[in-house]
């Protein structure tokens, strides 16, 4: 069974966890096993979230970083915090295939959202 693990940076501000819960809920419409984890400041941490997926039956996990580009978090921190070294890893005593998806990157769909945000600010700042 496939598990999806969303990775967020994390923050002491509660809105980060709300974002994680919201995106996980949206993805559960397409994938039954979805968890989220944080790089820092919040819980669950990445290894705990990975273990939760495996405990629920995941035999393969796709890690989806909610990051815009590659960098230290993507290249080093995510694999280290997950405790993985390659595709086949042991989690809770089981061999699990863990793969990491690419960051969001440049995407016209994201640019459209950014455009909407700019237009929203312009619209709300117009004098009545």
């Amino acid at each position: 069974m496939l598990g999806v693990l969303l990775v967020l940076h994390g923050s002491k501000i509660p809105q980060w966890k709300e974002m994680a819960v919201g995106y996980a809920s949206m993805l559960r419409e397409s994938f039954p096993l979805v968890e989220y984890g944080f790089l820092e400041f919040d819980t669950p941490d990445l290894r705990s979230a990975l273990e939760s997926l495996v405990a629920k039956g995941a035999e393969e996990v796709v890690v989806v970083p909610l990051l815009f580009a590659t960098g230290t978090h993507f290249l080093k921190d995510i694999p280290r915090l997950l405790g993985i070294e390659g595709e086949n890893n042991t989690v809770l005593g089981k061999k699990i295939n863990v793969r990491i998806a690419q960051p969001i990157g440049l995407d016209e769909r994201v640019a459209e959202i950014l455009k909407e945000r700019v237009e929203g600010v312009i619209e709300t700042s117009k004098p009545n």
Side-chain angles (χ1 to χ4, degrees), residues 19-115:
M19 295 288 286
V21 169
Y23 276 114
S25 177
M26 289 178 199
L27 279 177
R28 284 187 190 109
E29 294 177 17
S30 300
F31 308 99
L33 288 180
V34 179
E35 294 290 338
Y36 57 84
F38 298 95
L39 292 165
E40 55 188 355
F41 300 121
D42 215 332
T43 58
D45 61 52
L46 297 187
R47 184 65 185 196
S48 296
L50 177 61
E51 290 175 354
S52 177
L53 284 169
V54 172
K56 292 176 181 177
E59 298 167 339
E60 177 181 10
V61 175
V62 176
V63 178
V64 182
L66 295 180
L67 304 170
F68 278 103
T70 59
T72 301
H73 282 321
F74 179 77
L75 297 171
K76 295 183 180 183
D77 295 338
I78 292 173
R80 176 180 56 82
L81 294 169
L82 286 170
I84 62 171
E85 296 180 15
E87 288 189 4
N88 292 309
N89 298 277
T90 302
V91 180
L92 299 178
K94 300 175 184 174
K95 288 282 188 190
I96 303 297
N97 184 11
V98 179
R99 294 177 290 162
I100 301 174
Q102 290 298 307
I104 295 167
L106 287 175
D107 190 306
E108 289 181 12
R109 295 168 293 180
V110 174
E112 186 61 32
I113 294 169
L114 297 174
K115 177 181 168 248

